[in-house]
Every structure is written in structure tokens, then in C-alpha cells.
Amino acid sequence: MILLKDGVRYYPYIYKSEDEFATIVIEHYKEIFGENSLYFDPQTMKTHIGIEARSDGLILSLDENKWHILEVELAKHSLHKHIVPQITKFNIAYKQPETRKRIIETLYQLIKSAPNKTELFHAQGIEDIYKHLTELVDTKPTITIIIDSKTKTPDIDYVCNSLPFPTQTREFQTYIREK
């Protein structure tokens, strides 16, 4: 795809790595999830039997009253080899009450230590942050897969429909100006 603005052509930027793509997505998380959202660095969910799942981050969307487990993927990577096993591990970990409690405690401490995050809750009329987090985390998260191209991953909807959590995909592309 080519974008044309004021007679100047812009071409899709090809990311060198998933880490590079994730950095750009995180820089723009408010544009993706809304102004009243908060991003938290990647979290590792671990069960008492040692199963670990690491996200690309957690998003709290105060407008939607949802939390998202963020997965940032390049379309050239296999969804079946990466996403499906990762989400399966999230599901196992999430079913453990200790895991949910650790998530709540971690998020609460991160929010309380950042006045701007605390203020965002208060601006939304949420005074008891701990209670709000507990109620939020006790609902299943939405797995949000940010991908650089949905057209290059024709089976993404099939994969998403087979996952144990509500799942959504959002395409995120960056363009560079023609030289």
C-alpha cells in the first residue's frame, strides 16, 4: 500500500525485528487504546508448577473497563508456533487464583507509585483503585494482538477464534516518506 499526501508518497516501513515494532506500538498505545489507558511493562505469569507466560505488556483501558494482555507480532512470524502456545500458557496461569492476586498486587503498586497513574483513576471517578483492579482482573482479559499486516496472515481470525480468551487483532503500520 502507498499513501499519498500533498503529492508525496509514503511507503510501509518494514520493521527489522519484533522488538523494534513493539517499541513503536508502546510509544503509541494511547492512540491504539484511548487516552484513558495505561500501559504496564511486560509481565510474567507463573503458576505454582512453574508454567510461565510472558506478555508484551498489559493495558488497562479505563474507558472500556477492560484489561488487555498485549501481544505484538510481525506478520512474518508463525501465529501457530508463537501465539497459540503463549496464550495457552496465559490461560493456565490465569486460572490460578495466586496468579491473579500477583497481577493485582503488582499493578496496584505500580499505580500507587506513579501519581499520574493514580490521578487518571481519580479523574475517571475511581477512588478505590485496589477494588477496581480486583474486579477488573477477575474478568477475563482481552488478548490484543497488534500486528503489522493482517493481509499477510490470512489465518489470524481462525487462530483468534480458537483461543480461550476474547481476542482482537489490530493492524498497526508505520510509513516512511519517499526519498
Side-chain angles (χ1 to χ4, degrees):
M1 179 194 300
I2 297 173
L3 291 179
L4 190 60
K5 180 172 169 58
D6 298 330
V8 179
R9 292 180 187 193
Y10 293 85
Y11 294 93
Y13 177 75
I14 306 300
Y15 295 94
K16 295 172 188 73
S17 69
E18 196 169 287
D19 287 340
E20 179 189 27
F21 184 45
T23 299
I24 299 297
V25 167
I26 292 163
E27 284 177 16
H28 295 279
Y29 81 89
K30 285 195 177 278
E31 286 91 351
I32 298 168
F33 293 95
E35 282 300 315
N36 294 316
S37 61
L38 296 168
Y39 167 80
F40 296 90
D41 288 331
Q43 302 291 314
T44 300
M45 296 183 201
K46 186 174 181 178
T47 68
H48 64 283
I49 59 172
I51 295 173
E52 287 188 11
R54 185 163 176 85
S55 69
D56 290 326
L58 297 179
I59 303 285
L60 298 184
S61 173
L62 300 181
D63 289 338
E64 296 178 313
N65 198 31
K66 286 184 181 179
W67 68 295
H68 300 261
I69 295 176
L70 182 61
E71 280 298 313
V72 178
E73 293 299 321
L74 294 176
K76 65 184 179 184
H77 293 164
S78 169
L79 295 174
H80 297 284
K81 290 181 183 174
H82 181 71
I83 291 285
V84 173
Q86 187 75 344
I87 303 305
T88 301
K89 290 178 187 178
F90 286 146
N91 189 38
I92 293 167
Y94 178 77
K95 287 181 178 180
Q96 306 299 312
E98 319 77 67
T99 303
R100 290 193 305 278
K101 184 174 180 168
R102 275 195 306 271
I103 293 169
I104 294 163
E105 292 294 332
T106 300
L107 292 176
Y108 183 69
Q109 293 307 318
L110 291 169
I111 292 164
K112 291 305 279 184
S113 67
N116 62 325
K117 291 180 180 177
T118 302
E119 184 53 40
L120 185 58
F121 275 84
H122 293 160
Q124 295 297 308
I126 302 166
E127 295 302 322
D128 190 339
I129 296 171
Y130 192 87
K131 179 179 183 265
H132 183 81
L133 288 172
T134 301
E135 292 170 354
L136 196 60
V137 173
D138 277 345
T139 64
K140 278 189 169 187
T142 298
I143 304 298
T144 300
I145 302 168
I146 307 293
I147 195 159
D148 60 333
S149 174
K150 287 174 98 173
T151 57
K152 293 180 183 175
T153 52
D155 60 344
I156 195 163
D157 291 330
Y158 174 76
V159 169
C160 290
N161 289 334
S162 67
L163 296 174
F165 291 108
T167 306
Q168 64 182 0
T169 56
R170 296 187 183 183
E171 188 173 65
F172 185 89
Q173 294 181 335
T174 305
Y175 289 81
I176 55 174
R177 184 183 174 123
E178 180 179 56
K179 294 181 182 186

